[in-house]
Amino acid sequence: MRGVRAVLIVVFGLLLIVGAGDAYGAADTTVIKKGAQRYTIEISSLKQVGGASSQLFLRTLEKDLVYSGWFTVVPQGGALKAAGTCQDSAGMLKVQCALQGVTAGRTYFRRTYTGASNRARTLAHELADAIVLAVTGKPGIASTRIVMIGKRSGGKDLYICDADGQNMMQITKDRAVCLSPDWGPDGASLVYTSFRGGYPDVYYVDLSSGRWKRIAGYPGLNTGAEISPNGREMVLTLSKDGNPDLYVINLSNRRLTRLTKTPHAAEASPSWSPKGDKVTFVSDRSGAPQVYVVNKNGGNQKRITFRGTENVSPDWGPDDRIVCSSRRAGRYQLSIVDLVARKESQITSEYVDHESPSWAPDGRHIVYARAEGYQTEVYVLDTMSGPPLRSLRLTTLQGDWYAPAWSPK
Amino acid sequence: MIFSRTLKCVALLTACVVIVSGCRTPSTDLTDEGLLGFDDIDAVDGGGIPLGARFEDGIPITDVHFENVLFGYDSFVVESSQAAKVEAVADYMRRSPEVRLVVEGHCDERGSRDYNMSLGESRALAVRAYLVGLGVDGGRVQTRSFGEEQPQDSGHTPEAYRLNRRGVFALFR
């Protein structure tokens, strides 16, 4: 049986190599969607009426619009125009803004943003996201955050920063190894794995109250947890039945559904589909780690990666595209499997390791860990910026930064 | 075997036809996974022996040491060269009924951290299954994976990697 399977794998491998010329060829390292539109926008008509916070507001707004990838900010003559006033008085910032489509001759919206002056950045993020949504129909990322592991002076703890890398905060002080952080669907809670109790268990943290609790502590391994989009279930890797397999826990009645049962293979890294009906994950059942998809009840398992000697760390994006880390010519490159178009494309080519990618909610940006010479930093890639695709370094503090996850909102 | 050889011929022929025909993009079509037929995985080793309740309050035994079981790259098979190490532990466990054991599974730094957590657990479970096969009560043996998080040798050489792919015996009373 084993022989037959090996042969089939060889045949399949040949087919893929033969096909590679047509399907991918030289286009390997380039764009996912060609000709991504970029809009010109002028924000100079947003008049500053005094105060340092309004200055910070405008500077942040401009950076956010550029960072979104959808806009070029121009001094005048933009296709779009944000006009209004930006006023800081008595510790309060008030922004009145109308977004106008100059060419189209329409007003997208008129809105007022008010808040304490020290919330200037937050308000600017909100306006930037509103502009992105109004113009492109896609959610913006300015108000989102990124959780990651920081290894500083020995500890491995959770840190959170804004989407632009600002406001880095330490979340855990577990005095133990932490790994595999991810966001709850509300964007205000986290799940992660910690050895704080001696064994690898899964913990839940509510970020607004700072309260935490252990939510999976079965005998053996508990890790890789991700809460479902509707918040009712959690998929994770457990080994309590004698082998690392995937399980779904119903969070209200604690009932477990086993998704995989592979006595001589290990599963890892589950990630929910946007609808919450399927899960993508890693399994080494073929002899090396590869990416699979399974229904949330355990049925209909399919392998979806066939190029690269290993494929790991899949993350299922909002447009049914799965990004993963694919080992090619000795390095991990980012690769996207488009489940709708049924094709796969390698999107990085630099000779360094690109690890644990995570989609932004805009389905356009990807955060990942870039490892070079045993130093790891977190980077953000704009998949529509190329070619070549633009990557931006997010972490600047001393330490090793890895395992990033982008918040869903 | 004959069946397998026939298939190999068919396979080669198919491959040739494909190459000669210069062909359309064959499929990375996602429905083609059936070719890999992974439903018929042979259950040969390692797992399937459920873990008992955790023991977290034991007193570590510090005056008895056993050699680490070493593993091949991306493998959790207990090689025959390592068997004597596990057998020595099994002997000790049989002679010391009050002793409990946590097998710790570790990996080298290559591969993803999440996958290595599962791989480390598979290594620990493979050692545990071996012990159970030698007559040790599974209820006395827990597993704990550290993935690649706690290397024994922090170097980046093949020798460091070899030492880091290990199962460690932590004894408790």
Side-chain angles (χ1 to χ4, degrees), chain A residues 157-194:
Chain A
D157 277 296
L158 266 62
Y159 291 77
I160 291 179
C161 67
D162 295 349
D164 59 4
Q166 299 290 303
N167 293 330
M168 185 70 88
M169 297 187 294
Q170 184 171 352
I171 302 301
T172 60
K173 285 180 183 159
D174 283 8
R175 294 174 188 282
V177 170
C178 295
L179 58 157
S180 202
D182 196 24
W183 294 88
D186 56 1
S189 56
L190 301 170
V191 285
Y192 72 106
T193 305
S194 173

mmCIF file of all heavy atoms in Angstrom, chain A residues 157-194:
data_model
loop_
_atom_site.group_PDB
_atom_site.id
_atom_site.type_symbol
_atom_site.label_atom_id
_atom_site.label_comp_id
_atom_site.label_asym_id
_atom_site.label_seq_id
_atom_site.Cartn_x
_atom_site.Cartn_y
_atom_site.Cartn_z
ATOM 1 N N ASP A 157 6.827 36.942 25.853
ATOM 2 C CA ASP A 157 5.512 37.413 26.263
ATOM 3 C C ASP A 157 4.731 37.999 25.095
ATOM 4 O O ASP A 157 5.286 38.257 24.032
ATOM 5 C CB ASP A 157 5.666 38.466 27.373
ATOM 6 C CG ASP A 157 5.830 37.813 28.737
ATOM 7 O OD1 ASP A 157 4.880 37.131 29.173
ATOM 8 O OD2 ASP A 157 6.909 37.969 29.344
ATOM 9 N N LEU A 158 3.429 38.240 25.344
ATOM 10 C CA LEU A 158 2.567 38.838 24.335
ATOM 11 C C LEU A 158 2.692 40.353 24.356
ATOM 12 O O LEU A 158 2.684 40.965 25.435
ATOM 13 C CB LEU A 158 1.100 38.489 24.627
ATOM 14 C CG LEU A 158 0.511 37.276 23.924
ATOM 15 C CD1 LEU A 158 1.267 36.029 24.332
ATOM 16 C CD2 LEU A 158 -0.954 37.132 24.259
ATOM 17 N N TYR A 159 2.754 40.916 23.171
ATOM 18 C CA TYR A 159 2.767 42.375 23.008
ATOM 19 C C TYR A 159 1.724 42.742 21.968
ATOM 20 O O TYR A 159 1.436 41.958 21.062
ATOM 21 C CB TYR A 159 4.137 42.857 22.525
ATOM 22 C CG TYR A 159 5.244 42.717 23.552
ATOM 23 C CD1 TYR A 159 5.818 41.482 23.817
ATOM 24 C CD2 TYR A 159 5.706 43.830 24.250
ATOM 25 C CE1 TYR A 159 6.830 41.347 24.762
ATOM 26 C CE2 TYR A 159 6.714 43.707 25.190
ATOM 27 C CZ TYR A 159 7.269 42.472 25.447
ATOM 28 O OH TYR A 159 8.265 42.343 26.383
ATOM 29 N N ILE A 160 1.197 43.960 22.098
ATOM 30 C CA ILE A 160 0.244 44.471 21.106
ATOM 31 C C ILE A 160 0.707 45.835 20.639
ATOM 32 O O ILE A 160 1.161 46.649 21.452
ATOM 33 C CB ILE A 160 -1.165 44.607 21.716
ATOM 34 C CG1 ILE A 160 -1.764 43.233 21.992
ATOM 35 C CG2 ILE A 160 -2.093 45.390 20.786
ATOM 36 C CD1 ILE A 160 -3.141 43.289 22.611
ATOM 37 N N CYS A 161 0.615 46.072 19.339
ATOM 38 C CA CYS A 161 0.862 47.427 18.835
ATOM 39 C C CYS A 161 -0.247 47.798 17.864
ATOM 40 O O CYS A 161 -1.034 46.950 17.434
ATOM 41 C CB CYS A 161 2.230 47.532 18.171
ATOM 42 S SG CYS A 161 2.392 46.596 16.655
ATOM 43 N N ASP A 162 -0.334 49.089 17.539
ATOM 44 C CA ASP A 162 -1.284 49.542 16.530
ATOM 45 C C ASP A 162 -0.835 49.014 15.167
ATOM 46 O O ASP A 162 0.317 48.605 14.993
ATOM 47 C CB ASP A 162 -1.324 51.078 16.493
ATOM 48 C CG ASP A 162 -1.869 51.659 17.795
ATOM 49 O OD1 ASP A 162 -2.390 50.885 18.618
ATOM 50 O OD2 ASP A 162 -1.764 52.888 17.983
ATOM 51 N N ALA A 163 -1.732 49.077 14.195
ATOM 52 C CA ALA A 163 -1.424 48.557 12.860
ATOM 53 C C ALA A 163 -0.182 49.214 12.258
ATOM 54 O O ALA A 163 0.511 48.619 11.451
ATOM 55 C CB ALA A 163 -2.620 48.762 11.936
ATOM 56 N N ASP A 164 0.106 50.456 12.685
ATOM 57 C CA ASP A 164 1.277 51.138 12.139
ATOM 58 C C ASP A 164 2.530 50.953 12.998
ATOM 59 O O ASP A 164 3.535 51.612 12.775
ATOM 60 C CB ASP A 164 0.981 52.633 11.944
ATOM 61 C CG ASP A 164 0.591 53.317 13.254
ATOM 62 O OD1 ASP A 164 0.624 52.665 14.312
ATOM 63 O OD2 ASP A 164 0.248 54.513 13.204
ATOM 64 N N GLY A 165 2.440 50.064 13.995
ATOM 65 C CA GLY A 165 3.627 49.759 14.799
ATOM 66 C C GLY A 165 3.769 50.636 16.046
ATOM 67 O O GLY A 165 4.622 50.368 16.895
ATOM 68 N N GLN A 166 2.923 51.661 16.162
ATOM 69 C CA GLN A 166 3.012 52.553 17.324
ATOM 70 C C GLN A 166 2.373 51.911 18.554
ATOM 71 O O GLN A 166 1.629 50.948 18.445
ATOM 72 C CB GLN A 166 2.277 53.870 17.008
ATOM 73 C CG GLN A 166 2.849 54.630 15.826
ATOM 74 C CD GLN A 166 4.210 55.229 16.146
ATOM 75 O OE1 GLN A 166 4.360 55.984 17.085
ATOM 76 N NE2 GLN A 166 5.199 54.859 15.361
ATOM 77 N N ASN A 167 2.664 52.503 19.711
ATOM 78 C CA ASN A 167 2.019 52.104 20.974
ATOM 79 C C ASN A 167 2.231 50.644 21.353
ATOM 80 O O ASN A 167 1.292 49.946 21.735
ATOM 81 C CB ASN A 167 0.504 52.375 20.930
ATOM 82 C CG ASN A 167 0.208 53.848 20.870
ATOM 83 O OD1 ASN A 167 0.981 54.658 21.399
ATOM 84 N ND2 ASN A 167 -0.883 54.211 20.228
ATOM 85 N N MET A 168 3.441 50.165 21.235
ATOM 86 C CA MET A 168 3.722 48.779 21.628
ATOM 87 C C MET A 168 3.501 48.630 23.136
ATOM 88 O O MET A 168 4.015 49.413 23.932
ATOM 89 C CB MET A 168 5.166 48.448 21.258
ATOM 90 C CG MET A 168 5.561 47.013 21.497
ATOM 91 S SD MET A 168 4.787 45.863 20.355
ATOM 92 C CE MET A 168 5.968 45.868 19.006
ATOM 93 N N MET A 169 2.699 47.626 23.514
ATOM 94 C CA MET A 169 2.403 47.386 24.936
ATOM 95 C C MET A 169 2.673 45.926 25.268
ATOM 96 O O MET A 169 2.339 45.043 24.480
ATOM 97 C CB MET A 169 0.914 47.593 25.224
ATOM 98 C CG MET A 169 0.377 48.966 25.010
ATOM 99 S SD MET A 169 -1.335 49.001 25.600
ATOM 100 C CE MET A 169 -2.132 47.893 24.457
ATOM 101 N N GLN A 170 3.198 45.694 26.437
ATOM 102 C CA GLN A 170 3.365 44.309 26.896
ATOM 103 C C GLN A 170 2.069 43.857 27.556
ATOM 104 O O GLN A 170 1.531 44.554 28.421
ATOM 105 C CB GLN A 170 4.522 44.216 27.874
ATOM 106 C CG GLN A 170 4.785 42.777 28.305
ATOM 107 C CD GLN A 170 6.071 42.630 29.108
ATOM 108 O OE1 GLN A 170 6.849 43.565 29.228
ATOM 109 N NE2 GLN A 170 6.277 41.440 29.659
ATOM 110 N N ILE A 171 1.558 42.694 27.155
ATOM 111 C CA ILE A 171 0.264 42.217 27.668
ATOM 112 C C ILE A 171 0.438 41.189 28.783
ATOM 113 O O ILE A 171 -0.271 41.205 29.765
ATOM 114 C CB ILE A 171 -0.565 41.585 26.521
ATOM 115 C CG1 ILE A 171 -0.772 42.606 25.401
ATOM 116 C CG2 ILE A 171 -1.909 41.080 27.025
ATOM 117 C CD1 ILE A 171 -1.490 43.867 25.827
ATOM 118 N N THR A 172 1.364 40.260 28.605
ATOM 119 C CA THR A 172 1.522 39.206 29.618
ATOM 120 C C THR A 172 2.862 39.344 30.340
ATOM 121 O O THR A 172 3.832 39.886 29.790
ATOM 122 C CB THR A 172 1.480 37.800 28.983
ATOM 123 O OG1 THR A 172 2.539 37.699 28.035
ATOM 124 C CG2 THR A 172 0.156 37.550 28.289
ATOM 125 N N LYS A 173 2.863 38.888 31.578
ATOM 126 C CA LYS A 173 4.111 38.746 32.327
ATOM 127 C C LYS A 173 4.042 37.377 32.986
ATOM 128 O O LYS A 173 3.973 37.254 34.201
ATOM 129 C CB LYS A 173 4.229 39.859 33.369
ATOM 130 C CG LYS A 173 4.585 41.182 32.721
ATOM 131 C CD LYS A 173 4.708 42.318 33.696
ATOM 132 C CE LYS A 173 5.002 43.597 32.923
ATOM 133 N NZ LYS A 173 4.664 44.804 33.681
ATOM 134 N N ASP A 174 4.033 36.345 32.169
ATOM 135 C CA ASP A 174 3.763 34.996 32.657
ATOM 136 C C ASP A 174 4.984 34.335 33.292
ATOM 137 O O ASP A 174 4.858 33.292 33.910
ATOM 138 C CB ASP A 174 3.253 34.116 31.507
ATOM 139 C CG ASP A 174 1.792 34.393 31.180
ATOM 140 O OD1 ASP A 174 1.249 35.365 31.740
ATOM 141 O OD2 ASP A 174 1.210 33.644 30.380
ATOM 142 N N ARG A 175 6.152 34.904 33.142
ATOM 143 C CA ARG A 175 7.380 34.249 33.602
ATOM 144 C C ARG A 175 7.442 32.810 33.089
ATOM 145 O O ARG A 175 7.828 31.885 33.803
ATOM 146 C CB ARG A 175 7.462 34.235 35.132
ATOM 147 C CG ARG A 175 7.596 35.619 35.704
ATOM 148 C CD ARG A 175 7.526 35.578 37.222
ATOM 149 N NE ARG A 175 7.466 36.909 37.769
ATOM 150 C CZ ARG A 175 8.510 37.723 37.893
ATOM 151 N NH1 ARG A 175 9.706 37.326 37.511
ATOM 152 N NH2 ARG A 175 8.366 38.924 38.393
ATOM 153 N N ALA A 176 6.996 32.619 31.880
ATOM 154 C CA ALA A 176 6.987 31.300 31.246
ATOM 155 C C ALA A 176 6.875 31.537 29.752
ATOM 156 O O ALA A 176 6.533 32.634 29.331
ATOM 157 C CB ALA A 176 5.781 30.501 31.740
ATOM 158 N N VAL A 177 7.159 30.502 28.986
ATOM 159 C CA VAL A 177 7.074 30.642 27.528
ATOM 160 C C VAL A 177 5.625 30.866 27.097
ATOM 161 O O VAL A 177 4.730 30.143 27.526
ATOM 162 C CB VAL A 177 7.643 29.376 26.854
ATOM 163 C CG1 VAL A 177 7.350 29.393 25.353
ATOM 164 C CG2 VAL A 177 9.136 29.264 27.101
ATOM 165 N N CYS A 178 5.399 31.870 26.258
ATOM 166 C CA CYS A 178 4.086 32.085 25.640
ATOM 167 C C CYS A 178 4.238 31.872 24.145
ATOM 168 O O CYS A 178 5.284 32.178 23.574
ATOM 169 C CB CYS A 178 3.593 33.506 25.865
ATOM 170 S SG CYS A 178 3.270 33.900 27.580
ATOM 171 N N LEU A 179 3.196 31.391 23.499
ATOM 172 C CA LEU A 179 3.255 31.259 22.052
ATOM 173 C C LEU A 179 1.866 31.271 21.451
ATOM 174 O O LEU A 179 0.866 31.231 22.182
ATOM 175 C CB LEU A 179 4.040 30.012 21.627
ATOM 176 C CG LEU A 179 3.638 28.632 22.064
ATOM 177 C CD1 LEU A 179 4.181 27.622 21.092
ATOM 178 C CD2 LEU A 179 4.171 28.306 23.436
ATOM 179 N N SER A 180 1.845 31.354 20.108
ATOM 180 C CA SER A 180 0.626 31.189 19.328
ATOM 181 C C SER A 180 -0.534 32.103 19.731
ATOM 182 O O SER A 180 -1.640 31.636 19.950
ATOM 183 C CB SER A 180 0.207 29.721 19.466
ATOM 184 O OG SER A 180 -0.610 29.344 18.428
ATOM 185 N N PRO A 181 -0.307 33.422 19.812
ATOM 186 C CA PRO A 181 -1.421 34.312 20.166
ATOM 187 C C PRO A 181 -2.376 34.522 18.998
ATOM 188 O O PRO A 181 -1.965 34.470 17.842
ATOM 189 C CB PRO A 181 -0.711 35.630 20.508
ATOM 190 C CG PRO A 181 0.525 35.622 19.680
ATOM 191 C CD PRO A 181 0.943 34.179 19.555
ATOM 192 N N ASP A 182 -3.635 34.745 19.314
ATOM 193 C CA ASP A 182 -4.605 35.088 18.281
ATOM 194 C C ASP A 182 -5.724 35.927 18.899
ATOM 195 O O ASP A 182 -5.918 35.900 20.105
ATOM 196 C CB ASP A 182 -5.185 33.832 17.631
ATOM 197 C CG ASP A 182 -5.868 34.172 16.312
ATOM 198 O OD1 ASP A 182 -5.536 35.195 15.706
ATOM 199 O OD2 ASP A 182 -6.764 33.416 15.907
ATOM 200 N N TRP A 183 -6.448 36.656 18.042
ATOM 201 C CA TRP A 183 -7.519 37.539 18.510
ATOM 202 C C TRP A 183 -8.834 36.800 18.593
ATOM 203 O O TRP A 183 -9.137 35.940 17.766
ATOM 204 C CB TRP A 183 -7.682 38.704 17.538
ATOM 205 C CG TRP A 183 -6.515 39.625 17.498
ATOM 206 C CD1 TRP A 183 -5.413 39.509 16.701
ATOM 207 C CD2 TRP A 183 -6.310 40.794 18.301
ATOM 208 N NE1 TRP A 183 -4.545 40.538 16.969
ATOM 209 C CE2 TRP A 183 -5.073 41.344 17.937
ATOM 210 C CE3 TRP A 183 -7.067 41.437 19.299
ATOM 211 C CZ2 TRP A 183 -4.558 42.496 18.526
ATOM 212 C CZ3 TRP A 183 -6.557 42.582 19.892
ATOM 213 C CH2 TRP A 183 -5.314 43.096 19.505
ATOM 214 N N GLY A 184 -9.669 37.199 19.567
ATOM 215 C CA GLY A 184 -11.063 36.790 19.541
ATOM 216 C C GLY A 184 -11.752 37.590 18.450
ATOM 217 O O GLY A 184 -11.239 38.629 18.013
ATOM 218 N N PRO A 185 -12.932 37.126 17.978
ATOM 219 C CA PRO A 185 -13.603 37.804 16.858
ATOM 220 C C PRO A 185 -14.051 39.221 17.197
ATOM 221 O O PRO A 185 -14.306 40.013 16.295
ATOM 222 C CB PRO A 185 -14.807 36.902 16.556
ATOM 223 C CG PRO A 185 -14.984 36.060 17.765
ATOM 224 C CD PRO A 185 -13.650 35.925 18.420
ATOM 225 N N ASP A 186 -14.141 39.567 18.495
ATOM 226 C CA ASP A 186 -14.537 40.924 18.883
ATOM 227 C C ASP A 186 -13.376 41.918 18.773
ATOM 228 O O ASP A 186 -13.561 43.125 18.911
ATOM 229 C CB ASP A 186 -15.087 40.930 20.318
ATOM 230 C CG ASP A 186 -14.086 40.359 21.326
ATOM 231 O OD1 ASP A 186 -12.958 39.967 20.920
ATOM 232 O OD2 ASP A 186 -14.425 40.305 22.524
ATOM 233 N N GLY A 187 -12.177 41.418 18.532
ATOM 234 C CA GLY A 187 -11.014 42.303 18.452
ATOM 235 C C GLY A 187 -10.638 42.901 19.797
ATOM 236 O O GLY A 187 -9.803 43.802 19.871
ATOM 237 N N ALA A 188 -11.244 42.404 20.871
ATOM 238 C CA ALA A 188 -10.982 42.956 22.204
ATOM 239 C C ALA A 188 -10.547 41.868 23.179
ATOM 240 O O ALA A 188 -10.481 42.099 24.387
ATOM 241 C CB ALA A 188 -12.235 43.656 22.739
ATOM 242 N N SER A 189 -10.281 40.686 22.653
ATOM 243 C CA SER A 189 -9.843 39.590 23.511
ATOM 244 C C SER A 189 -8.800 38.766 22.757
ATOM 245 O O SER A 189 -8.682 38.863 21.534
ATOM 246 C CB SER A 189 -11.030 38.699 23.891
ATOM 247 O OG SER A 189 -11.665 38.231 22.719
ATOM 248 N N LEU A 190 -8.041 37.984 23.514
ATOM 249 C CA LEU A 190 -6.986 37.169 22.913
ATOM 250 C C LEU A 190 -7.058 35.748 23.445
ATOM 251 O O LEU A 190 -7.536 35.525 24.566
ATOM 252 C CB LEU A 190 -5.603 37.717 23.294
ATOM 253 C CG LEU A 190 -5.231 39.140 22.921
ATOM 254 C CD1 LEU A 190 -3.932 39.517 23.627
ATOM 255 C CD2 LEU A 190 -5.065 39.260 21.418
ATOM 256 N N VAL A 191 -6.577 34.803 22.654
ATOM 257 C CA VAL A 191 -6.270 33.477 23.172
ATOM 258 C C VAL A 191 -4.807 33.203 22.869
ATOM 259 O O VAL A 191 -4.282 33.678 21.860
ATOM 260 C CB VAL A 191 -7.140 32.359 22.558
ATOM 261 C CG1 VAL A 191 -8.551 32.385 23.126
ATOM 262 C CG2 VAL A 191 -7.170 32.451 21.049
ATOM 263 N N TYR A 192 -4.139 32.488 23.736
ATOM 264 C CA TYR A 192 -2.740 32.156 23.485
ATOM 265 C C TYR A 192 -2.350 30.945 24.319
ATOM 266 O O TYR A 192 -3.104 30.506 25.197
ATOM 267 C CB TYR A 192 -1.836 33.351 23.801
ATOM 268 C CG TYR A 192 -1.674 33.662 25.277
ATOM 269 C CD1 TYR A 192 -0.492 33.356 25.953
ATOM 270 C CD2 TYR A 192 -2.699 34.254 26.001
ATOM 271 C CE1 TYR A 192 -0.337 33.646 27.302
ATOM 272 C CE2 TYR A 192 -2.554 34.541 27.350
ATOM 273 C CZ TYR A 192 -1.369 34.244 27.992
ATOM 274 O OH TYR A 192 -1.218 34.513 29.328
ATOM 275 N N THR A 193 -1.179 30.410 24.040
ATOM 276 C CA THR A 193 -0.676 29.258 24.772
ATOM 277 C C THR A 193 0.403 29.731 25.737
ATOM 278 O O THR A 193 1.254 30.540 25.364
ATOM 279 C CB THR A 193 -0.057 28.233 23.799
ATOM 280 O OG1 THR A 193 -1.039 27.908 22.815
ATOM 281 C CG2 THR A 193 0.382 26.974 24.525
ATOM 282 N N SER A 194 0.343 29.236 26.968
ATOM 283 C CA SER A 194 1.363 29.604 27.945
ATOM 284 C C SER A 194 1.739 28.396 28.785
ATOM 285 O O SER A 194 0.903 27.537 29.061
ATOM 286 C CB SER A 194 0.840 30.716 28.858
ATOM 287 O OG SER A 194 1.771 30.965 29.905
#
